[in-house]
Amino acid sequence: MSNVSISTNKLSIGYGATIVQRDLTFSLYEGEMVCMLGPNGCGKSTLLRTLAGLQPPLSGEYSLNSLPGGEGRGEVSLVLTERLSLDNTTVHDVVAMGRYPYSSFLGGLTEEDERIIAESLEKVGFGLSASETSGLSAERSIFYQPVGRSFFNAHSDGEKQRILIAKALAQETPIILLDEPTAHLDLPHRILVLRLLRTLAHEQGKTVLISTHELDLALALSDRILLMTPGNGVQLDTAENLRKTDAFTRAFGMDIFSPLED
């Protein structure tokens, strides 16, 4: 069994006096991609924001790579669905933000940083391949690619989402949390992104937790499903086991696999 990467113990989440979910206890492991499913309002985004340290837990505790939540924030990269408007900011500069934790006191980017930026964009379907940029200097490699020179705001919502995923990849954290990363993408890019995240988990030992409404892709590509029921906690298991116990029907209040039936 791989090492535990994310663990919660009787964790309650919400806003102010409003508890969205209570007493959540589960563990995620290195090297697995877990998709979090559930109806709107059940707390998926709230859980991700809590694990990322953007809001405090209401009670209970959580740890990231065995570090208490607050101390483990540097272990996590987070991609949210909130739309960003970054005027006069190039795609290169957005992805480069993921390298800031590794930069020098003066904030300069090294040739290694530029290589990682270029590779991160290439992985989500932008730019030249790593082999095509390998002979270029650090100053030229990313700017040789038209997307690197373009402005972030000039791109569609789907393209912006892929750029933000590239930023998370460039951060090179052991844990990646994503809130509906495929929301604005067409089908080919939805598959590309989820396949990429699954590969990162399996080949690089990362823990990937994704909130999504892409039921079909989640069932096909995730290692396990974190199924959240409104006000009634979570179940964490394989898709096959959850289907056998009618867990999806209880969570969504209907048979989502037979949509034409009453």
Side-chain angles (χ1 to χ4, degrees):
M1 178 65 69
S2 300
N3 295 326
V4 172
S5 181
I6 300 174
S7 64
T8 68
N9 181 30
K10 296 184 177 180
L11 178 67
S12 294
I13 58 174
Y15 302 87
T18 303
I19 298 177
V20 178
Q21 289 282 357
R22 65 175 73 245
D23 296 333
L24 304 179
T25 299
F26 61 85
S27 295
L28 306 184
Y29 297 94
E30 295 176 356
E32 70 171 347
M33 185 176 86
V34 175
C35 286
M36 181 163 46
L37 298 173
N40 290 335
C42 67
K44 298 187 298 296
S45 297
T46 305
L47 177 58
L48 290 178
R49 294 176 66 88
T50 302
L51 294 176
L54 297 185
Q55 62 189 71
L58 300 185
S59 64
E61 57 189 10
Y62 69 98
S63 65
L64 308 172
N65 284 337
S66 300
L67 296 172
E71 298 178 20
R73 293 178 188 174
E75 303 286 298
V76 175
S77 55
L78 174 68
V79 179
L80 297 173
T81 53
E82 298 169 355
R83 294 187 178 182
L84 296 179
S85 180
L86 299 173
D87 293 330
N88 300 320
T89 304
T90 66
V91 169
H92 168 271
D93 290 343
V94 171
V95 181
M97 293 176 188
R99 299 304 301 164
Y100 287 170
Y102 307 96
S103 62
S104 65
F105 176 74
L106 297 177
L109 294 172
T110 66
E111 187 167 347
E112 175 69 3
D113 291 325
E114 294 288 4
R115 181 188 64 78
I116 292 171
I117 292 168
E119 287 182 352
S120 298
L121 279 167
E122 193 271 332
K123 285 176 180 176
V124 297
F126 286 118
L128 303 175
S129 67
S131 61
E132 291 174 300
T133 60
S134 61
L136 301 173
S137 65
E139 292 75 18
R140 293 185 58 211
S141 63
I142 187 67
F143 290 105
Y144 189 77
Q145 304 172 55
V147 68
R149 296 192 304 269
S150 65
F151 289 109
F152 180 76
N153 279 354
H155 290 270
S156 68
D157 287 341
E159 289 171 334
K160 287 178 180 178
Q161 191 72 355
R162 286 193 283 144
I163 293 164
L164 293 176
I165 292 171
K167 171 179 170 288
L169 299 182
Q171 197 170 342
E172 292 192 314
T173 58
I175 299 171
I176 305 177
L177 309 178
L178 305 102
D179 191 7
E180 297 189 43
T182 59
H184 304 294
L185 304 184
D186 57 22
L187 180 59
H189 284 108
R190 292 203 300 267
I191 295 173
L192 181 151
V193 165
L194 291 181
R195 280 180 174 174
L196 167 63
L197 294 170
R198 178 183 170 93
T199 298
L200 288 173
H202 291 182
E203 295 185 1
Q204 298 184 21
K206 295 181 184 292
T207 302
V208 179
L209 176 60
I210 304 169
S211 168
T212 183
H213 290 290
E214 303 281 358
L215 177 65
D216 51 345
L217 294 179
L219 297 179
L221 295 173
S222 64
D223 296 300
R224 291 192 292 168
I225 299 291
L226 187 66
L227 183 61
M228 190 171 285
T229 304
N232 197 32
V234 297
Q235 290 179 267
L236 178 59
D237 208 334
T238 64
E240 181 181 1
N241 287 342
L242 290 172
R243 288 193 67 170
K244 288 178 179 178
T245 60
D246 290 329
F248 291 103
T249 300
R250 291 193 298 273
F252 288 95
M254 62 181 295
D255 185 357
I256 58 176
F257 299 104
S258 302
L260 296 180
E261 296 180 7
D262 295 330

